Amino acid sequence: MLTVNARSTAGPGEPFQATTIERRDVGPAEVLIDVKYAGICHSDIHTARGEWGKTLFPLVPGHEIAGVVSEVGADVTKYAVGDRVGVGCFVDSCRECENCRAGEEQYCLKGETGTYNAIGKDGRPTDGGYSEKIVVDENYVMGIPEGIDLDVAAPLLCAGITLYSPLKHWGAGPGKKVAIVGLGGLGHMGVKIAKALGAEVTVLSQSLKKQEDGLRLGADHYYATGDEGTFESLAGSFDLIVSTISANVDFNAYLGLLKLDGALVQVGAPEKPLDIAAFSLIQGRKTLAGSKIGGIRQTQEMLDFCAEHGIGAEVEVIGGDQIDEAYERVVASDVRYRFVIDTARLVG
């Protein structure tokens, strides 16, 4: 066992404290990663505050991990000491079901093993990236190309793939009109990726206060959904809409913005069930869908794509003693656009 520094919370609403955790010895097919940066995802906040069902406390969150390999097991073939690598939202799966065999491990029929707040195959709770080191099976690790700095790469392991996956699946590209709903930690990645894929990109946000940012990040158009005329003027405009927001809004109105055979894909997680009128789908043969993250293969594809196109997250780098403040700012939408913990400043 290896003892490493970390930041954990003891219960819902409890502040984060400096602590130590035990990492298992490196197995034959595993790598030890020196975590350099860990992004703060809104999922971390929901879990730490007990808002998404059972949380295993004490909790060390973090599933946007960028670091460097410092040790490899005897049977490891994919990575060597010194390689730049990333770890995303899960660190294992059954490897046997239809979805795992298809490279869609995020939809493992037996349930993937979360990077934190889960029980690993060793029977121990998994601890995430708010820590100095992590041990992961090489098959659940991605290589981070040299074209991306590690601090801006960390959020790609969740926020980046969460947008890349639906944009690719529903064919965003040249000749397609794509709308991204919400310009936050997820939405700003959607704008960058959709533009790099060649689509005509529109941001739909509640107000115009982030319009300058949206256009700078690559959006061709920016509209305020709080403007009563927006839904009328944009009716039937889009091939694909990806909604990153977690608020319960009038999804029927957004469905009205789609062209024939258009798709509205939800990646945010509203608290209450969606209220959808059947005719919002029937008229125009429209699709309402959801999307999670991506599998290991697609996440690696995303990282390579982002390196090729010079895409990284817009980040604010913080130390471990700023996590509680960062959580409050995320909830208040006071971050542009992702907090990233520098693990060199994890303690002290």
Side-chain angles (χ1 to χ4, degrees):
M1 289 288 184
L2 178 66
T3 301
V4 303
N5 290 314
R7 286 273 175 170
S8 71
T9 176
E14 293 294 318
F16 276 85
Q17 303 285 352
T19 188
T20 58
I21 59 174
E22 299 295 325
R23 294 297 191 189
R24 66 179 177 270
D25 293 332
V26 177
E30 295 181 326
V31 298
L32 175 66
I33 300 167
D34 290 346
V35 179
K36 300 300 183 182
Y37 296 96
I40 291 179
C41 176
H42 210 136
S43 300
D44 300 351
I45 301 173
H46 287 303
T47 306
R49 295 183 173 180
E51 297 169 349
W52 277 1
K54 184 178 180 181
T55 299
L56 303 174
F57 290 106
L59 179 76
V60 178
H63 60 205
E64 296 181 339
I65 300 170
V68 176
V69 175
S70 58
E71 184 182 341
V72 300
D75 297 337
V76 169
T77 60
K78 296 181 179 180
Y79 301 104
V81 172
D83 285 352
R84 293 153 38 97
V85 295
V87 179
C89 299
F90 58 94
V91 290
D92 209 343
S93 63
C94 82
R95 313 184 190 205
E96 299 173 349
C97 71
E98 179 182 1
N99 293 349
C100 282
R101 293 198 307 270
E104 302 282 5
E105 300 95 341
Q106 74 277 27
Y107 300 121
C108 176
L109 295 176
K110 296 183 180 179
E112 75 277 24
T113 301
T115 304
Y116 65 86
N117 197 43
I119 300 296
K121 290 181 178 178
D122 59 1
R124 294 163 48 86
T126 56
D127 291 315
Y130 296 10
S131 59
E132 290 179 325
K133 298 175 186 289
I134 189 170
V135 178
V136 183
D137 186 290
E138 68 168 337
N139 293 301
Y140 294 80
V141 175
M142 281 70 61
I144 297 178
E146 289 293 338
I148 318 174
D149 291 336
L150 292 180
D151 57 347
V152 302
L156 300 181
L157 277 302
C158 178
I161 188 58
T162 296
L163 272 296
Y164 184 85
S165 189
L167 287 168
K168 286 288 288 187
H169 185 80
W170 276 275
K176 295 296 181 70
K177 293 186 176 182
V178 174
I180 304 295
V181 183
L183 191 69
L186 293 176
H188 91 285
M189 292 307 313
V191 171
K192 289 188 174 191
I193 292 170
K195 186 64 177 178
L197 287 168
E200 181 179 335
V201 183
T202 297
V203 173
L204 301 174
S205 186
Q206 191 171 13
S207 72
L208 297 178
K209 69 178 183 179
K210 296 181 181 178
Q211 182 176 23
E212 184 177 343
D213 272 5
L215 298 176
R216 174 180 61 84
L217 294 171
D220 298 289
H221 315 285
Y222 199 109
Y223 292 91
T225 56
D227 183 338
E228 293 181 0
T230 292
F231 288 93
E232 182 178 348
S233 64
L234 294 179
S237 294
F238 302 108
D239 300 287
L240 173 64
I241 300 173
V242 181
S243 172
T244 70
I245 60 176
S246 297
N248 283 85
V249 297
D250 184 359
F251 283 90
N252 298 295
Y254 285 94
L255 287 165
L257 302 180
L258 292 172
K259 296 180 179 181
L260 175 67
D261 289 326
L264 168 59
V265 182
Q266 183 67 26
V267 298
E271 181 181 351
K272 298 178 182 178
L274 307 185
D275 185 8
I276 304 295
F279 277 102
S280 295
L281 298 170
I282 292 170
Q283 293 283 18
R285 202 164 55 204
K286 297 168 184 175
T287 298
L288 175 62
S291 181
K292 201 176 179 182
I293 46 175
I296 298 299
R297 182 174 57 211
Q298 190 179 54
T299 304
Q300 185 64 65
E301 176 187 306
M302 176 273 305
L303 288 168
D304 294 341
F305 176 87
C306 287
E308 180 184 350
H309 292 87
I311 296 173
E314 304 287 305
V315 304
E316 182 175 336
V317 180
I318 64 171
D321 59 353
Q322 296 172 280
I323 295 173
D324 295 304
E325 176 190 355
Y327 274 27
E328 293 299 328
R329 288 181 56 192
V330 170
V331 172
S333 299
D334 180 26
V335 55
R336 295 192 178 181
Y337 284 91
R338 207 69 161 181
F339 284 114
V340 171
I341 302 166
D342 177 358
T343 60
R345 297 158 53 195
L346 192 66
V347 178

